[in-house]
Amino acid sequence: MIILSATNIMKVYGVDVILKDVSFHVNQGDRIGIVGNNGAGKTTLLNILCGEMPYDDGNVFISANTSIGYLKQSQNFDSDKTLIEEVSAIFSHIADMEKEMAELSHEISDKSSKEENVDKLLQRYDEIMEAYNRCNGYSYKSEINGILNSMAFTEDFYHKKISMLSGGEKTRLALACLLLKKPDILFLDEPTNHLDIGTLKWLEQYLKSYSGTIILISHDRYFLDQTVNRIFEVENHKLYTYQGGYSEYAEKKRQRREEELRKYEGQQKEIARQEEIIRRFKQHGTEKLAKRAQSREKRLAQIELVEKPEALVGKMKIHFKQQFKSGNDVALGEGLQKGFGYGMQRKELFKNVDFDIKRGERICIVGANGVGKTTLLKILMNELEPDGGRLKIGHNVQFGYYDQEQQNLNPSNTVFDEMKDSYRLYTDTEMRSMLGRFLFKNESVFLNVGTLSGGEKARLSLLKLMLSGSNVLILDEPTNHLDITSKEVFEDALLEFPGTVIVVSHDRYFLNKVPTRIMELDTDGMTAYLGSYDYYMEKKQEIVSGKKYLNELSSVQSLKDEEVSEESEFKNLSSSEQRRINKELEAKARRKEREQKKLEEEIATLEKQIADLEKEMCKQEVFSNHILLAEYHDKSETCKARLSETYDNWLLIQEEQE
């Protein structure tokens, strides 16, 4: 069922065309990923679809009674409430129902004691109870805690004022609120910003099971592969649609462009051949050949011309060079530790951090938000002192630093002055040429740095880094503000760089392509893994599985030791004490047997309820009514959760009996 469609949408700013003849449709349950270079019009399109921006021509249709939720890239979350007050307000209707049920219960009890008629009150109580069940009233508090915890909000945050949160925390809170509201269409503009790898993985799983429709903008290629089933590409004011995730889109786009270019070039060759024949016929000057030339000219004029593929948007050109080699040993850390604050207010970031980085390595540092990855980079560059441990920097090491906040840029400078202030030996022509390679062309070199977008500031910082000649590049979230094309160019430049690279990143596509080694930082130290992200995850899983196996072995051995001890003690008891214990054990076994039977009956009942609900969901009158379908889906999910819990309890009894 089509839930949203657009027909010939056009958007113009002054004389600049942003979108032209954009048409598409979105089916219920689709997961759409919108991609395109920075400035292509992706956010503009999202604003139009959400009704937050007018368009100049065309039509947008959204199915009736469809709720929408929109996570903006720059989230202005202004509120005087605490975090938990803001989140709880989403479920105020459930809190109202709870209050009314409590009042009704009190009134029913009071009137019943006076033997007054309470039929109407009971009927109203049943109505509210049914609505309460439909709204997931019994588990909404657990859902709040689960989603807040998954978004890295522990209970320490619950009573913080929203105004005191950082920009990244406000964005995560806005996303959490949207997920709790469960709109029919979820619009997300760069939802992966400010999320660590663990939260990213949780969000991917959540969106995969989300019952509504999702339309998101993202430059995270790994995230797109995991979450979407269609790609919308905004390029040269137009929109192209592709089935599949990012990897399929990239291959299909390459094939489409090659085919378009082949058709265009083939037709141009044929036109040139025909024009040459016509020229020769006319050159001979005979009446017969002149008529043949006219005939060919008419046929040529009637050919439907193949449109020339539009030129690709310019790519920045990066090539990192080092002025001189560093020594083979770049950095050695032993037992490093760091924290902030004093006394009760002190927060320990990490301790026992060891590493040994050699020339030519490409190291990627990963870890949860707040563990101190950026702090560790600053310790490496001697901008911060560690609280303990030893750090040794190798011979001839020259650091070049890319800061994710771009604090190394002067916002009052123009782009051109920013570069000239740092690199005075280049002529104006040379500097303009280099800025052009980073897509700062014509008058854009005279823009104030403070007015640049995040992507433009990122490109300018990378140009400064490229010209620094450093032999050790230290990069803090370098791909955050880059579009996909710029990311790919940047990754290729790092792979060609002969020096050493140390990167903090959450970009898993980048982590699969660039590093020779991944180092995971946590509060108790650092663990190194050779290879890329997928290998790192595989090894982590092996370690987790190994620990689980050892714990299980330990538990089994403890039980055996306990049984031997109990058996020994039992033999030393009197016959009357042994009979008493035997009776207690038999009574306990009978209770377990009754409990097991009860659980098995509950399992059978729940499985039947789930089967009946799924059967109902397949009926036309339910399937075609998205509100009714959502109700059945929620009931089914509640039953499945209860079934899973019941199975766990049944398995516990089985394990105890074994």
Side-chain angles (χ1 to χ4, degrees):
M1 184 178 89
I2 293 176
I3 195 170
L4 182 151
S5 67
T7 310
N8 298 325
I9 294 296
M10 174 172 268
K11 180 65 183 176
V12 179
Y13 287 121
V15 295
D16 294 328
V17 176
I18 306 301
L19 301 170
K20 183 180 179 183
D21 297 330
V22 169
S23 299
F24 59 85
H25 72 272
V26 176
N27 294 316
Q28 188 174 3
D30 265 347
R31 277 98 169 92
I32 309 292
I34 302 178
V35 301
N37 290 333
N38 287 336
K42 303 184 297 295
T43 299
T44 298
L45 177 60
L46 221 55
N47 284 331
I48 288 170
L49 298 179
C50 294
E52 297 209 354
M53 180 182 287
Y55 45 96
D56 299 305
D57 200 6
N59 290 293
V60 173
F61 161 79
I62 295 181
S63 183
N65 302 317
T66 298
S67 60
I68 66 172
Y70 184 18
L71 177 77
K72 297 180 181 179
Q73 190 174 155
S74 300
Q75 194 66 44
N76 295 320
F77 207 138
D78 296 322
S79 175
D80 293 328
K81 297 177 182 176
T82 64
L83 184 147
I84 196 64
E85 286 171 346
E86 185 69 33
V87 173
S88 298
I90 297 167
F91 299 95
S92 59
H93 60 294
I94 297 181
D96 291 341
M97 281 189 268
E98 288 175 337
K99 184 180 177 183
E100 188 174 354
M101 282 192 293
E103 289 171 353
L104 282 169
S105 179
H106 180 74
E107 192 175 354
I108 289 166
S109 177
D110 188 45
K111 288 195 173 185
S112 295
S113 65
K114 297 175 183 177
E115 297 185 355
E116 295 179 21
N117 191 305
V118 293
D119 288 350
K120 286 187 177 179
L121 293 175
L122 287 170
Q123 184 181 348
R124 175 62 183 156
Y125 190 90
D126 286 344
E127 288 171 358
I128 298 173
M129 180 65 77
E130 189 177 338
Y132 188 76
N133 280 327
R134 282 201 306 270
C135 293
N136 205 23
Y138 290 107
S139 59
Y140 80 95
K141 289 181 182 176
S142 299
E143 188 177 6
I144 287 174
N145 292 335
I147 284 184
L148 286 178
N149 188 56
S150 298
M151 284 289 156
F153 291 116
T154 60
E155 290 188 11
D156 298 340
F157 282 91
Y158 283 16
H159 300 290
K160 273 190 178 182
K161 291 277 188 182
I162 289 173
S163 56
M164 301 300 292
L165 299 179
S166 69
E169 287 166 346
K170 286 180 180 179
T171 301
R172 294 206 311 274
L173 178 58
L175 179 56
C177 289
L178 264 186
L179 298 180
L180 286 166
K181 288 175 184 174
K182 297 187 181 74
D184 298 320
I185 305 180
L186 200 53
F187 292 99
L188 306 172
D189 193 352
E190 292 291 354
T192 61
N193 286 354
H194 311 291
L195 302 184
D196 59 31
I197 289 176
T199 309
L200 273 172
K201 289 171 69 179
W202 175 86
L203 181 60
E204 285 169 358
Q205 294 305 314
Y206 187 92
L207 294 181
K208 282 179 185 178
S209 61
Y210 191 74
S211 58
T213 302
I214 301 166
I215 300 176
L216 61 89
I217 294 171
S218 182
H219 292 142
D220 188 328
R221 296 154 291 179
Y222 199 100
F223 181 76
L224 288 168
D225 267 339
Q226 294 295 311
T227 55
V228 306
N229 64 344
R230 294 172 73 194
I231 293 284
F232 287 1
E233 182 188 30
V234 182
E235 183 181 42
N236 294 318
H237 323 304
K238 296 178 182 177
L239 186 136
Y240 302 90
T241 65
Y242 299 84
Q243 292 294 325
Y246 173 79
S247 297
E248 291 171 84
Y249 141 77
E251 179 58 24
K252 287 175 182 175
K253 180 186 177 182
R254 184 189 64 76
Q255 292 173 357
R256 174 181 67 81
R257 186 162 184 81
E258 285 179 359
E259 181 61 23
E260 287 176 353
L261 198 59
R262 192 159 46 246
K263 284 181 180 178
Y264 172 76
E265 289 175 347
Q267 188 181 66
Q268 290 300 305
K269 283 181 182 177
E270 180 59 22
I271 289 171
R273 191 178 74 84
Q274 291 296 334
E275 285 175 343
E276 176 62 19
I277 291 171
I278 290 165
R279 186 188 65 76
R280 287 179 181 176
F281 282 171
K282 286 181 176 179
Q283 197 176 35
H284 281 66
T286 65
E287 186 178 345
K288 184 179 179 181
L289 290 177
K291 285 182 179 179
R292 288 176 66 182
Q294 284 179 349
S295 175
R296 282 182 180 262
E297 280 179 332
K298 285 179 183 177
R299 288 204 303 273
L300 197 59
Q302 291 169 357
I303 289 176
E304 187 176 338
L305 293 175
V306 173
E307 193 174 342
K308 183 179 180 180
E310 294 190 46
L312 291 171
V313 176
K315 289 185 178 182
M316 66 175 179
K317 299 178 179 68
I318 303 180
H319 187 64
F320 294 109
K321 292 182 179 178
Q322 55 181 5
Q323 289 177 339
F324 48 82
K325 276 186 180 182
S326 70
N328 188 53
D329 296 318
V330 171
L332 176 69
E334 294 177 338
L336 293 175
Q337 64 183 74
K338 185 65 180 175
F340 291 102
Y342 299 94
M344 297 293 289
Q345 300 297 317
R346 183 166 177 79
K347 180 188 177 184
E348 296 293 341
L349 290 178
F350 53 76
K351 61 184 178 181
N352 304 323
V353 170
D354 299 328
F355 54 79
D356 185 6
I357 299 172
K358 302 296 186 184
R359 183 181 67 225
E361 283 196 290
R362 296 189 298 275
I363 306 292
C364 284
I365 301 173
V366 300
N369 282 340
V371 77
K373 299 185 295 296
T374 299
T375 300
L376 182 60
L377 295 185
K378 290 182 177 178
I379 288 172
L380 263 173
M381 295 183 294
N382 287 319
E383 289 185 10
L384 283 176
E385 284 289 327
D387 296 336
R390 172 174 170 260
L391 174 67
K392 182 182 178 183
I393 302 301
H395 179 63
N396 273 347
V397 167
Q398 182 184 5
F399 290 118
Y401 182 46
Y402 175 95
D403 172 19
Q404 62 172 314
E405 303 297 334
Q406 280 95 42
Q407 291 179 355
N408 63 334
L409 302 178
N410 184 344
S412 59
N413 270 346
T414 66
V415 170
F416 186 78
D417 289 340
E418 178 69 22
M419 294 306 302
K420 286 294 285 183
D421 284 354
S422 300
Y423 303 101
R424 298 181 181 277
L425 295 179
Y426 290 98
T427 66
D428 288 2
T429 304
E430 287 171 332
M431 189 57 72
R432 289 289 294 265
S433 174
M434 282 184 285
L435 283 166
R437 288 166 62 190
F438 276 66
L439 310 184
F440 292 105
K441 299 178 180 177
N442 304 322
E443 299 305 306
S444 66
V445 299
F446 301 116
L447 291 172
N448 266 51
V449 171
T451 66
L452 299 180
S453 68
E456 289 167 332
K457 286 178 181 175
R459 294 203 308 271
L460 189 58
S461 292
L462 285 174
L463 175 56
K464 291 183 74 172
L465 186 63
M466 186 184 88
L467 296 179
S468 71
S470 304
N471 52 35
V472 179
L473 303 181
I474 294 191
L475 312 165
D476 192 359
E477 296 289 359
T479 62
N480 260 8
H481 298 287
L482 297 178
D483 56 40
I484 290 174
T485 304
S486 299
K487 282 182 182 183
E488 290 171 347
V489 172
F490 175 57
E491 288 161 356
D492 291 341
L494 289 182
L495 291 173
E496 293 172 1
F497 179 56
T500 308
V501 178
I502 303 169
V503 190
V504 166
S505 181
H506 292 136
D507 185 333
R508 290 159 297 169
Y509 207 97
F510 176 93
L511 291 172
N512 259 337
K513 188 173 178 180
V514 170
T516 55
R517 192 153 53 115
I518 286 179
M519 300 203 299
E520 183 179 37
L521 179 67
D522 60 35
T523 53
D524 292 321
M526 181 174 269
T527 308
Y529 300 84
L530 287 172
S532 63
Y533 174 76
D534 284 344
Y535 178 77
Y536 149 73
M537 288 304 298
E538 183 184 325
K539 296 306 289 183
K540 273 199 75 175
Q541 188 58 46
E542 284 179 13
I543 291 168
V544 170
S545 299
K547 284 181 179 176
K548 187 178 177 183
Y549 176 68
L550 288 173
N551 287 337
E552 286 172 355
L553 279 179
S554 176
S555 298
V556 169
Q557 188 59 48
S558 297
L559 284 170
K560 284 181 178 177
D561 293 343
E562 202 174 302
E563 285 170 8
V564 169
S565 175
E566 286 175 354
E567 189 177 341
S568 175
E569 286 177 17
F570 187 74
K571 286 177 180 176
N572 294 326
L573 292 173
S574 66
S575 57
S576 59
E577 281 294 308
Q578 289 182 13
R579 282 196 300 274
R580 183 183 63 77
I581 291 172
N582 281 331
K583 283 182 180 179
E584 286 178 2
L585 290 172
E586 287 169 6
K588 186 179 178 182
R590 286 195 296 273
R591 283 198 304 275
K592 289 290 180 185
E593 191 176 338
R594 287 196 299 272
E595 191 178 343
Q596 182 179 341
K597 188 176 179 183
K598 184 182 175 184
L599 288 170
E600 287 170 352
E601 288 171 356
E602 190 175 352
I603 287 169
T605 303
L606 286 167
E607 286 179 339
K608 185 177 185 305
Q609 286 176 358
I610 291 166
D612 290 344
L613 285 166
E614 289 178 346
K615 189 176 178 182
E616 287 294 313
M617 287 161 73
C618 293
K619 290 182 179 178
Q620 179 64 31
E621 62 269 23
V622 176
F623 185 77
S624 58
N625 184 332
H626 70 274
I627 296 173
L628 193 57
L629 185 62
E631 289 178 8
Y632 275 97
H633 174 78
D634 289 345
K635 285 181 183 177
S636 175
E637 290 301 306
T638 303
C639 287
K640 285 175 182 176
R642 282 173 54 198
L643 180 63
S644 177
E645 187 180 344
T646 309
Y647 265 125
D648 289 342
N649 293 334
W650 183 82
L651 284 169
L652 281 173
I653 293 174
Q654 293 293 107
E655 287 170 4
E656 286 174 11
Q657 288 175 345
E658 289 171 3

